[in-house]
Amino acid sequence: MSICIFSHGRCLQYDVGHDHPESASRLHAVQDQLLSSGLAYVLEQRDGNAASRDDLYLAHDRAYVDSLFELVPEHGHIWLDDDTQLNAKLLRAALYSAGCGISAIDYLMQGADRKAFCLVRPPGHHAERAAAKGFCLFNNIAIAAAYALERYKVQRILIVDFDVHHGNGTEDIFQHEARVRFFSSFQHPYYPYTDPISRSGSIIKMPLDAGTSGALYRQRWLDEWLPLMHQFQPELVLVSAGFDAHIEDEMGQMKLTDQDYFWLGQQLAQLAARHSQGRLLSMLEGGYEHSPLARSVVQYLKGQL
């Protein structure tokens, strides 16, 4: 069994504002914690490749993708929505962020009992088929899943999203795709103010009240989700790994702890071992307080060992 970290220097080379929570220091904090914990000496680390436009078209509307390349300014930035800006360095970073997921899929499919974690920015799970949203240009996890469907003909893909915010973009892209099951837990009501009711058999939602504890979260996972996950028998397990439901993260009002993320790593690794030959891919989404983010990522990975 091995875990490989996929990232790229381009993911560090854009800035969306001095006070913006989505900063390069998030990735630096995780790398520092991997080193100080000793985990960096156990894991493999690789650079991912940039996604091509054809890769992006697998999950996104062609006109939307092309418009980003046409709109991107040589200098400065433009706003795509109230939260999401576009500049030249950010677009390049987004290509590598999505491309790391594709590189990770290739890595997983070349052997059994492999796991990967994509330490990337910008995040992706709010990006819809034809719209940027919530810091996200391209939906990294959806592109990885669509690539696995197309390139490797995988027939059952499970996507789990435990970010404090609902993965509205992933729902939008896969709501009519029978080969994908999307499980999303999220604080409700909260951004992006999604409908808490599942309207598709491919989408399973777990809306959670502000203040939800790790104990309650675990119990609902075991009671409501795990039986359905086993019933689906996924051939590949993908995760939108957002750590902003941590009690120390001011982005949300949930009360998960480092040990809850260790538990999530264990649960997902066991699920992958049972159904998908151990193949498990996680991609960083949220998590904006540096210390709890870094600690939680390390615990999540330790839970998979």
Side-chain angles (χ1 to χ4, degrees), residues 234-286:
E235 298 174 347
L236 187 61
V237 180
L238 309 184
V239 184
S240 279
F243 298 91
D244 41 7
H246 195 285
I247 190 171
E248 296 175 33
D249 197 312
E250 296 182 359
M251 184 65 76
Q253 292 81 45
M254 301 275 286
K255 294 186 177 180
L256 272 60
T257 67
D258 301 17
Q259 286 305 303
D260 293 316
Y261 291 111
F262 179 89
W263 183 86
L264 280 168
Q266 282 185 319
Q267 293 297 311
L268 290 162
Q270 291 169 9
L271 185 74
R274 180 169 176 178
H275 297 293
S276 64
Q277 297 184 279
R279 295 183 178 122
L280 170 62
L281 164 61
S282 305
M283 300 197 72
L284 182 65
E285 297 286 358

Side-chain angles (χ1 to χ4, degrees), residues 191-211:
Y191 182 88
Y193 304 102
T194 188
D195 183 350
I197 305 300
S198 299
R199 308 291 179 180
S200 163
S202 296
I203 311 298
I204 299 90
K205 299 179 185 178
M206 186 193 294
L208 299 162
D209 293 334

